Amino acid sequence: MKDLLYQRKAVAELVDKTITLLNSGQTRRKLVFEAPTGSGKTVMACEALAQLVDALRDRGDSRYQEAAFIWFAPRKLHLQSYSKLRLAYEDNRSLSPVMFDELDQSEGIQPGEILFVNWESVNKDSNRMARESESSASIYEIARRTREELGLPIVVVIDEEHMFWSKTADKSKQVLDRIDPNVEIRISATPKTQTRYNVVVERHEVIEAEMIKKEVVLNPDITIDINDERTLNEHLIETALRKRQQLADAYKALGVNINPLLLIQLPNDTKETMTQDDEQIAETVKTYLSANPKWHITPENGRLAVWLAGEKQNLDGIEEPDNMVQVLLFKEAIALGWDCPRAAVLLIFRKLQSDTFTTQTVGRILRMPEQRHYRDEVLNVGYVYTDIAKERIQILAADASYIHNNAAIAYRRKDLQNVSLNSTYSERPNAGRNYLGPDFRQVLYEEAEKFFNIEQAQGSLFSFAELAACHADDDYRPLPETDDEQINDNRRRALNKIRLDVQKINAEIPADVHFQNEEQILTVNQVKYARTVGEINRVFTAYINGKGGQFEAKGRTDKISSYLLEMIADYFGIFETDAKKVVLYRGSATQPNNRKVFDRLLDLALNTYAEKRKRDNRNKPTRNFVDYQWEVPEERVYDSETHHTSQGEAHALLPFYELNEASMPEKKFAAYLEAHRETLDWWYKNGDNGKQHYAIRYQNSADQTALFYVDFVIRAKSGKIYLFDTKGTGGDLDPEVVNKHNALIDYIAAENAKGGNLHGGVIKVDKYGNWLYCQFKIDNAEDLSNWTIFEPRNA
């Protein structure tokens, strides 16, 4: 390991905290190791495990003297890590990396052995390592033998931890539950696990150690001539190639034998298979690289490498500093764990509506090829080019877009005796859904008529000759009069505020934006670029996609787009691409900004339609109620900005996350339950909205059906289930408390008649600290004379 201060500190901290967690005697204790891409995460983890083995043997404060290890990695990253660690431990006999087939499965994992496991080989019960067979044991049986027969604690390393936060996160939990490791060391540049045991390497430390580049620049040196005949894609390819050549010349001037690599990534980067967009862009890239005599980069001459589904060329040795490949065309298949420090320039073609990068994507070009900075600063920066046409760009962690970035997760306790309770959730009926219907077309037409009449009323009606004088410039092409006098008249009226003779548009892309590779939102400077017909279509769709956010997304963009184009055709006799140019035209110092005009028109029409929907739905049922069986969930996602961990060893989900703004009765009752946890099986703090939380129906004061989310579900050791809703007194008393309590009493009686064992009601604390609830219906929630004390030991 290179002798770097931040790495030494991180390794020492990893060892100390792992021993602390092992000494707790508990299982599934989590330790998160966060370090930027290029900092040497695998190297540090490797050294930490080696030092941990020595520390367990030599330190007097360690509960264990030996340990066994399992290293999980997604996709084929485990092979890369296995190779790295075999090399690192070549002279270290105390640690031995092994693959599944190399393991003596009848004996379990031996002290100091590190079993390397590909995650996809265990995340399905049908996979080989997840099931028993005549020839091999499952990983679960191997883990059991390691724990029970060898008496060894198991330390699991989860490499690229953020990759486990996918739609199969519940399966990740099930696998780890069955292995039941003592400690999980979760490694990532962008971890998602929340825990109080963290080891963090700061980005500035890695930059100061000259391991990674100082910053990233987005679209540098973009100087676009709007009369350039090349498409935007071609221009970006050309600019990225020039940047790569500039870096090659800089290395050569310093006498450094490094051939910088340009990475070109196709748009649909979440799938390996090729889409139609991918095929078109790949063909554009290959054609431009080969046909341009200035570059002449092809697979045949060894300068172009390809890593696509079904097409792999010139990949051998591509990571070597002086490899002759200048450009690599690829998709997501290359994204994870690929280490090529000479990669210096990245060109990303994005999906139509995308305004994001991921830190892992940008991280590919951040490593310093010789782990040092150069005196020519151009070599100490990473360069990214993109076709994103947005004023704001978001940098995100990879594989986490489906989950809230501030999420914290609690998991159901092992072997929890669950309940099955009849619950209800509500949903909007189709008639009440907030979608954009076909009747929006009529509203848009009506608003357009009023909108342009208002504009016309503020000025005189010009003749075409006068309008030509108003809009005269080099690009002016007067629209010819049509046979439809109404269209001619509409054109005269509209030209008071918008320009209809648009020949071309100048859409915008970001230029020369400097940033660090961290999760953030960038406000960018932009330059203009003349678009082809295909590019106009993409920009137009992206523009419309930002409209109508108050309505459901499904079908919204298509409806707004088609109705707007129909309106422009019907009123102004302008069709398809020409109509899109009219909408997108941003104007100039002397010309009107059409886009702002259409912003106003669409906002007016959409708001008017929203009010119409509200009126139409006023007398229709707003919710449907659906019954289902509720159980304590396997896991629950909390927002870490609105919740905090609190004392809750008996809570059904661990850790216990308490709402920051929880009511005082809720806080006190949770503390009361926890103080009596030995007499309870478990308790659960319910949510207060959403179909995933436990709720029953009741009739509110307005005689409407509503949902009542009971605060606490408790299972006593006797098997009784208690349903309590905490309430305050006086001014803090819920005005619906009587209706809710009585509905709960009726619900309990109905369920018990079917064989249930339910008890509860509204519960309040008196001045003596007793928690009281009433087992009968009530008329007054302040009269506690017939209420019963809830004592957990007697439950």
Side-chain angles (χ1 to χ4, degrees):
M1 187 173 78
K2 186 178 178 181
D3 186 22
L4 297 172
L5 177 60
Y6 78 80
Q7 291 187 343
R8 292 199 308 271
K9 285 168 50 183
V11 167
E13 199 174 346
L14 283 169
V15 172
D16 286 343
K17 290 187 175 180
T18 301
I19 290 177
T20 297
L21 294 176
L22 284 171
N23 286 346
S24 73
Q26 299 175 342
T27 58
R28 298 290 320 268
R29 300 301 301 274
K30 298 171 183 60
L31 169 58
V32 172
F33 179 32
E34 178 180 353
T37 300
S39 61
K41 292 189 296 294
T42 303
V43 171
M44 287 183 276
C46 164
E47 181 63 19
L49 295 188
Q51 291 190 22
L52 175 63
V53 169
D54 294 337
L56 290 175
R57 184 179 59 247
D58 299 337
R59 281 174 46 165
D61 63 341
S62 176
R63 177 175 182 157
Y64 301 97
Q65 280 67 56
E66 295 175 314
F69 303 91
I70 302 176
W71 187 296
F72 281 112
R75 301 181 190 167
K76 296 182 180 179
L77 186 60
H78 72 300
L79 297 175
Q80 179 179 308
S81 301
Y82 170 74
S83 300
K84 283 185 179 180
L85 268 69
R86 277 191 71 87
L87 183 63
Y89 295 145
E90 214 167 21
D91 299 323
N92 188 333
R93 301 280 179 178
S94 61
L95 273 170
S96 176
V98 294
M99 300 295 285
F100 187 68
D101 291 333
E102 300 170 336
L103 189 70
D104 185 347
Q105 298 175 14
S106 64
E107 297 292 332
I109 307 171
Q110 299 299 304
E113 280 188 332
I114 308 175
L115 173 61
F116 282 83
V117 179
N118 165 239
W119 174 246
E120 285 72 20
S121 68
V122 297
N123 68 357
K124 293 180 181 176
D125 293 337
S126 60
N127 289 351
R128 177 192 169 199
M129 291 180 64
R131 57 185 171 85
E132 300 290 324
S133 69
E134 292 182 4
S135 59
S136 66
S138 71
I139 190 172
Y140 308 120
E141 176 61 16
I142 291 169
R144 185 197 66 77
R145 291 172 183 170
T146 302
R147 286 193 314 270
E148 298 178 9
E149 297 176 13
L150 299 179
L152 294 176
I154 297 176
V155 176
V156 163
V157 176
I158 302 176
D159 201 0
E160 300 293 349
E161 181 261 3
H162 61 276
M163 297 291 290
F164 290 74
W165 288 74
S166 66
K167 293 178 181 177
T168 59
D170 56 339
K171 187 61 182 177
S172 305
K173 178 184 179 300
Q174 292 173 23
V175 169
L176 291 167
D177 273 346
R178 293 181 66 182
I179 293 173
D180 201 24
N182 297 68
V183 178
E184 300 167 20
I185 303 176
R186 297 175 169 239
I187 305 173
S188 177
T190 54
K192 297 299 148 197
T193 297
Q194 300 287 326
T195 176
R196 61 193 181 98
Y197 289 94
N198 298 284
V199 176
V200 180
V201 173
E202 300 290 349
R203 181 173 305 278
H204 71 84
E205 296 178 290
V206 187
I207 293 173
E208 289 164 6
E210 302 186 2
M211 293 285 284
I212 62 176
K213 297 184 172 75
K214 295 181 178 181
E215 65 173 351
V216 180
V217 185
L218 181 65
N219 283 352
D221 307 321
I222 292 286
T223 52
I224 297 177
D225 179 357
I226 62 174
N227 295 312
D228 195 330
E229 292 301 318
R230 289 176 298 189
T231 66
L232 174 61
N233 288 355
E234 291 172 338
H235 186 86
L236 289 170
I237 296 168
E238 175 71 18
T239 309
L241 286 167
R242 288 203 307 266
K243 178 57 69 175
R244 193 215 71 85
Q245 187 59 51
Q246 179 190 9
L247 301 180
D249 293 342
Y251 279 123
K252 185 175 181 181
L254 294 175
V256 177
N257 188 24
I258 291 175
N259 185 27
L261 181 65
L262 163 61
L263 309 178
I264 301 180
Q265 182 172 356
L266 296 180
N268 194 12
D269 61 358
T270 60
K271 297 179 182 177
E272 187 175 349
T273 54
M274 297 284 282
T275 66
Q276 186 175 358
D277 274 353
D278 294 332
E279 298 284 2
Q280 291 175 349
I281 295 177
E283 188 57 37
T284 297
V285 170
K286 292 176 183 177
T287 300
Y288 194 82
L289 293 175
S290 61
N292 191 317
K294 178 180 178 181
W295 306 113
H296 191 51
I297 297 173
T298 68
E300 291 71 27
N301 64 21
R303 295 177 183 173
L304 175 64
V306 180
W307 192 331
L308 302 173
E311 186 180 4
K312 307 285 191 296
Q313 297 188 73
N314 297 331
L315 297 174
D316 291 341
I318 193 173
E319 298 89 354
E320 296 300 318
D322 58 350
N323 184 276
M324 68 183 299
V325 171
Q326 297 176 359
V327 178
L328 170 62
L329 178 64
F330 74 102
K331 275 178 67 74
E332 177 70 2
I334 199 175
L336 188 62
W338 184 65
D339 187 0
C340 183
R342 74 183 182 98
V345 185
L346 174 64
L347 170 54
I348 311 174
F349 292 109
R350 306 310 294 153
K351 290 186 291 185
L352 173 63
Q353 294 160 9
S354 173
D355 61 353
T356 64
F357 299 123
T358 68
T359 52
Q360 279 71 24
T361 298
V362 177
R364 299 186 191 109
I365 59 166
L366 285 183
R367 288 180 173 86
M368 293 304 299
E370 295 182 308
Q371 296 185 352
R372 68 182 177 95
H373 290 161
Y374 301 97
R375 65 175 180 269
D376 188 340
E377 286 295 329
V378 74
L379 299 173
N380 300 330
V381 175
Y383 302 94
V384 177
Y385 293 89
T386 182
D387 58 351
I388 290 179
K390 300 279 186 176
E391 296 175 358
R392 287 157 62 85
I393 294 175
Q394 195 166 12
I395 314 296
L396 295 174
D399 305 293
S401 58
Y402 64 92
I403 197 167
H404 193 284
N405 286 337
N406 295 315
I409 295 188
Y411 298 98
R412 191 167 65 202
R413 291 166 55 195
K414 188 177 180 182
D415 301 326
L416 179 129
Q417 292 290 314
N418 215 327
V419 295
S420 182
L421 298 174
N422 187 34
S423 181
T424 303
Y425 68 84
S426 67
E427 61 184 7
R428 287 193 183 97
N430 285 339
R433 286 174 50 206
N434 192 28
Y435 69 94
L436 199 69
D439 50 340
F440 173 67
R441 181 180 186 275
Q442 182 62 32
V443 172
L444 176 62
Y445 275 50
E446 291 172 357
E447 288 299 321
E449 290 179 3
K450 288 189 290 184
F451 183 81
F452 289 115
N453 281 341
I454 292 170
E455 298 297 331
Q456 184 269 333
Q458 294 176 352
S460 60
L461 190 62
F462 295 132
S463 69
F464 274 114
E466 290 170 321
L467 290 167
C470 289
H471 291 292
D473 64 17
D474 293 340
D475 292 329
Y476 180 69
R477 301 289 186 275
L479 291 173
E481 292 204 21
T482 71
D483 294 334
D484 189 324
E485 284 304 316
Q486 185 60 57
I487 285 179
N488 294 335
D489 185 53
N490 288 340
R491 288 179 179 181
R492 295 186 186 97
R493 294 171 185 268
L495 280 170
N496 283 314
K497 289 294 182 181
I498 62 173
R499 182 170 179 174
L500 296 174
D501 61 301
V502 179
Q503 302 300 308
K504 63 184 177 183
I505 62 162
N506 296 325
E508 298 167 336
I509 60 173
D512 200 33
V513 182
H514 297 244
F515 64 97
Q516 292 289 342
N517 190 35
E518 297 172 339
E519 294 181 54
Q520 59 188 294
I521 295 177
L522 306 172
T523 300
V524 302
N525 300 317
Q526 295 180 303
V527 295
K528 294 182 178 179
Y529 192 83
R531 296 282 186 163
T532 64
V533 171
E535 290 161 351
I536 288 170
N537 292 337
R538 286 169 57 88
V539 175
F540 180 77
T541 302
Y543 167 72
I544 296 297
N545 189 59
K547 301 298 181 185
Q550 65 268 55
F551 298 99
E552 290 182 13
K554 186 177 181 180
R556 182 184 68 208
T557 297
D558 288 342
K559 287 188 177 72
I560 298 175
S561 173
S562 61
Y563 297 155
L564 179 61
L565 294 178
E566 286 176 26
M567 185 275 291
I568 294 173
D570 288 346
Y571 280 76
F572 305 120
I574 302 173
F575 304 91
E576 291 299 329
T577 301
D578 288 337
K580 293 174 183 178
K581 290 178 185 178
V582 169
V583 173
L584 295 173
Y585 183 69
R586 286 187 180 272
S588 65
T590 59
Q591 300 298 315
N593 187 328
N594 287 5
R595 189 177 296 202
K596 287 186 176 180
V597 174
F598 283 101
D599 282 343
R600 289 169 56 202
L601 173 60
L602 288 173
D603 287 348
L604 281 169
L606 289 163
N607 290 335
T608 299
Y609 185 73
E611 290 299 318
K612 177 181 181 298
R613 292 283 300 176
K614 199 178 294 184
R615 290 193 304 272
D616 292 345
N617 291 329
R618 191 163 291 157
N619 297 319
K620 295 178 181 178
T622 57
R623 311 296 293 184
N624 285 335
F625 292 92
V626 181
D627 292 332
Y628 73 104
Q629 291 302 115
W630 178 88
E631 296 183 343
V632 174
E634 287 191 9
E635 63 183 46
R636 181 172 160 188
V637 179
Y638 297 83
D639 189 328
S640 60
E641 290 187 355
T642 58
H643 291 76
H644 64 277
T645 55
S646 186
Q647 182 67 22
E649 292 182 21
H651 193 253
L653 302 183
L654 296 176
F656 170 48
Y657 287 98
E658 186 173 60
L659 188 66
N660 296 340
E661 298 180 359
S663 69
M664 190 54 65
E666 288 176 353
K667 292 179 180 178
K668 286 182 177 180
F669 191 59
Y672 178 74
L673 294 175
E674 193 58 26
H676 294 83
R677 61 182 176 273
E678 298 301 327
T679 64
L680 299 173
D681 198 352
W682 51 261
W683 60 274
Y684 177 72
K685 177 60 182 73
N686 192 30
D688 56 10
N689 62 74
K691 63 190 299 183
Q692 73 273 33
H693 298 307
Y694 173 57
I696 67 172
R697 305 183 209 199
Y698 79 102
Q699 292 299 115
N700 62 23
S701 300
D703 199 29
Q704 296 172 330
T705 302
L707 292 183
F708 168 28
Y709 292 84
V710 179
D711 285 332
F712 290 88
V713 180
I714 303 163
R715 190 181 194 279
K717 289 190 180 296
S718 64
K720 293 179 180 178
I721 305 301
Y722 287 87
L723 309 174
F724 285 132
D725 200 66
T726 55
K727 295 300 178 187
T729 59
D732 295 329
L733 193 61
D734 180 354
E736 297 288 348
V737 62
V738 172
N739 292 325
K740 290 179 178 179
H741 173 85
N742 292 339
L744 181 53
I745 295 302
D746 285 341
Y747 169 89
I748 289 172
E751 294 299 305
N752 287 345
K754 295 183 288 187
N757 194 2
L758 306 184
H759 308 266
V762 166
I763 192 165
K764 301 168 70 173
V765 64
D766 67 14
K767 61 183 179 181
Y768 304 108
N770 298 313
W771 285 94
L772 306 175
Y773 71 103
C774 186
Q775 303 176 66
F776 311 102
K777 288 188 176 182
I778 63 174
D779 296 318
N780 181 358
E782 296 284 27
D783 181 4
L784 308 182
S785 56
N786 292 318
W787 290 39
T788 303
I789 296 177
F790 172 64
E791 294 196 48
R793 69 175 180 270
N794 298 325

